[in-house]
Amino acid sequence: MLWIKPRLTPYKNKRAIMKRKLIVSLIYVVFTMNLQADPLLLEDVLKRIGRTSEFQWEPFLQTGVVYDRGHFVSFYTGKKGETGVLLVDGYHIIEAPLPYIEKSVVKFPEAFVASVEKAINEEVKNDVGLFRIAAIIIDPGHGGKDTGAIGTPTINGKKTTIQEKDVALKVSKDLYAQLVKAFPNKQVLMTRNNDSTVSLEERVSFANVVNLAQNEAIIFVSVHCNAAPYKANARGYEVWYLPPDVRRSLINKSTFDGPVEVVPILNSMKEEEFTIESRLLASSILKRFDEVIGKSSPSRGIKEEEWYVVKKANMPSVLVELGFITNASDAKLLTDSAYVKNFSNALFKGISDFIADYEQPGGFNPLH
Ligand SMILES: [Zn+2]
C-alpha cells in the first residue's frame, strides 16, 4: 500500500471523469473504425517500410509509432502539407512532412514514409548493438519507521502480526538473488536491502541516476502488499502501471538541443513508449503470478494508477501488490515462506520473460 496518490489532473467531479472517458472511447471507436475501413493506406506504409514493421496509433493524442527491425519512429499528425518533427528510437529527432487526418482517415505523405524508412535504415546500419535492459531496480515498499500495512491474522489459534515492509523486503531480496545470478552483466539494484526508512523521493532519484547508453534501458519494480481496513473480504494480487494520460517531463528542456516548442510533443511520444513497455512488463509478471499462485488467492488483474514511485521514475515501471494484509486468508498465506517464495519466483520469471522479449534478435516489438 502507498498512501500518496496524487492526481496530476484534479477531476472536479465524477461526471467530468465519465464525460472524459466517454469522449476518449468515442474517439477511439471512430479512429479504429476508420483505420480498419481504409487498411490499404496503412498497409502501403508498412509494406514499404519492411516486412517486420508494425504500427500503433494513439487516437486521443493523435500520435503514432512505426516499429521495424527493433527500431521505432514516433510521430504526431499535423495539417496537410505541414512539416514537423519525428522522434527516432525515442532519442533523436528528424524533420518530415507530417501525417494528417482527412475525412477522419490518417494519411501518410510519401515524403513522410521515405523519411521513416531512411531513419530506420540508418539506425539499423549504425546499430550499437541490440537494445538491452542494462539495469533492474527492485524497490521493496516502506521500511524502517514506515511499516506499511499491518495485519493480525490468527494462525493455529495464535494471533500473529504481519507487516507489509517485511513481506516486501523478503520477496525483494529473494528476487534480487535470482536476478543477480541469472543476469551477471546487468546492474541489479535495491532501493533498500534492510529495515531502513527510505523516502519516496530517495527511491525515485536512486533509480533516475543510473547511467545508460543510448541502446540501454532500465526497469523499475516496486513490491507492496495491499490493505483495505474497512473491507476485510478484499483479497488477491494485482500489478499496477502508469496510465497513458499522466504527463511527465522526460526530455529536459535545458539540455534539449532543438526547438523548445517540440519538447511537450517529444515528451508525449517518449511517455507513450514507456507506457507500452510498462504495460508489457506488468502483463509478463501477472501471467507468471497466475501460474504460480493458482487458486490460492484471486488475480485482480492489471491496473492503472498514478502511484508516486511509478510516476516519477523515468523508465518502464510497475508496482505489484502481493495480497491484502487486512484479509485473513491472504495475511495467513503471506506469513507462509513457501507462498511468499512463489511470488519472488514469479516476479523473476515475469521480468526474465520481458527481458527476453526486449532483447530478442530483430529487436523488441512492443506490439507482441
Ligand atoms: Zn505499500
Side-chain angles (χ1 to χ4, degrees):
M1 187 184 70
L2 271 179
W3 345 264
I4 299 182
K5 272 171 68 182
R7 281 250 174 228
L8 282 191
T9 331
Y11 293 120
K12 285 211 174 67
N13 51 39
K14 263 192 179 164
R15 195 182 289 172
I17 300 172
M18 290 305 290
K19 198 173 152 195
R20 191 171 166 281
K21 280 191 175 161
L22 183 68
I23 292 171
V24 172
S25 29
L26 278 177
I27 293 174
Y28 184 75
V29 168
V30 168
F31 278 101
T32 312
M33 281 168 63
N34 278 317
L35 281 174
Q36 282 167 354
D38 199 356
L40 269 180
L41 213 47
L42 183 60
E43 257 179 42
D44 285 344
V45 177
L46 298 182
K47 223 182 278 168
R48 168 79 181 274
I49 293 167
R51 269 188 307 146
T52 64
S53 64
E54 282 187 72
F55 178 84
Q56 176 139 329
W57 172 246
E58 220 299 338
F60 187 64
L61 297 170
Q62 301 198 345
T63 60
V65 190
V66 180
Y67 300 95
D68 188 34
R69 288 167 286 163
H71 297 278
F72 56 95
V73 178
S74 319
F75 65 89
Y76 56 99
T77 49
K79 291 194 194 82
K80 193 173 177 179
E82 187 185 340
T83 296
V85 294
L86 315 180
L87 186 63
V88 183
D89 282 349
Y91 64 88
H92 83 251
I93 58 172
I94 54 168
E95 280 197 15
L98 295 175
Y100 56 93
I101 295 162
E102 197 173 65
K103 291 183 184 143
S104 305
V105 176
V106 191
K107 303 216 164 156
F108 302 91
E110 160 67 27
F112 165 84
V113 182
S115 300
V116 170
E117 194 181 16
K118 189 169 162 244
I120 289 181
N121 283 340
E122 263 168 31
E123 288 301 320
V124 170
K125 208 167 66 193
N126 299 331
D127 258 347
V128 271
L130 290 173
F131 277 82
R132 64 183 289 263
I133 305 286
I136 305 156
I137 313 266
I138 308 165
D139 174 46
H142 313 276
K145 284 181 280 179
D146 167 18
T147 58
I150 294 184
T152 47
T154 303
I155 295 160
N156 302 329
K158 213 177 124 198
K159 203 171 173 187
T160 317
T161 301
I162 171 172
Q163 303 186 101
E164 179 184 358
K165 66 170 186 179
D166 298 329
V167 180
L169 185 62
K170 199 169 182 182
V171 168
S172 299
K173 275 177 132 172
D174 188 50
L175 172 62
Y176 173 85
Q178 295 192 52
L179 287 170
V180 165
K181 203 170 157 202
F183 301 105
N185 298 324
K186 297 189 193 306
Q187 291 186 66
V188 186
L189 305 160
M190 290 176 81
T191 56
R192 70 176 175 100
N193 60 10
N194 54 33
D195 186 22
S196 54
T197 311
V198 186
S199 74
L200 293 175
E201 291 79 6
E202 282 168 336
R203 290 168 203 268
V204 174
S205 51
F206 180 90
N208 284 337
V209 296
V210 175
N211 278 328
L212 298 172
Q214 275 184 340
N215 65 325
E216 292 181 334
I218 179 170
I219 56 178
F220 186 91
V221 180
S222 196
V223 182
H224 290 254
C225 297
N226 234 327
Y230 305 106
K231 220 175 140 195
N233 61 345
R235 64 179 304 221
Y237 55 87
E238 58 201 19
V239 186
W240 295 81
Y241 75 101
L242 190 75
D245 59 351
V246 181
R247 298 283 147 252
R248 291 173 293 178
S249 294
L250 306 171
I251 292 170
N252 188 337
K253 256 188 207 160
S254 59
T255 57
F256 175 66
D257 179 24
V260 165
E261 59 272 20
V262 302
V263 169
I265 296 161
L266 299 183
N267 274 328
S268 81
M269 291 170 172
K270 187 91 190 145
E271 182 186 304
E272 192 172 320
E273 177 203 336
F274 286 145
T275 304
I276 294 168
E277 290 164 359
S278 297
R279 197 181 157 85
L280 265 171
L281 178 59
S283 55
S284 304
I285 291 172
L286 190 77
K287 206 175 128 208
R288 294 297 191 166
F289 277 3
D290 291 344
E291 251 173 51
V292 297
I293 302 304
K295 290 184 178 65
S296 303
S297 186
S299 170
R300 298 164 64 89
I302 290 175
K303 314 245 170 145
E304 301 183 343
E305 192 47 275
E306 299 160 23
W307 299 103
Y308 183 86
V309 269
V310 183
K311 184 181 78 191
K312 290 282 184 177
N314 293 344
M315 60 200 72
S317 38
V318 297
L319 188 150
V320 299
E321 298 273 12
L322 307 178
F324 281 74
I325 267 183
T326 43
N327 174 268
S329 316
D330 270 8
K332 196 174 168 187
L333 285 168
L334 290 169
T335 58
D336 175 357
S337 293
Y339 182 77
V340 168
K341 174 92 172 101
N342 281 340
F343 273 116
S344 46
N345 291 348
L347 274 165
F348 169 70
K349 285 182 183 162
I351 293 169
S352 304
D353 292 345
F354 176 81
I355 292 172
D357 193 23
Y358 191 97
E359 295 180 346
Q360 69 183 320
F364 173 63
N365 188 330
L367 300 183
H368 282 170

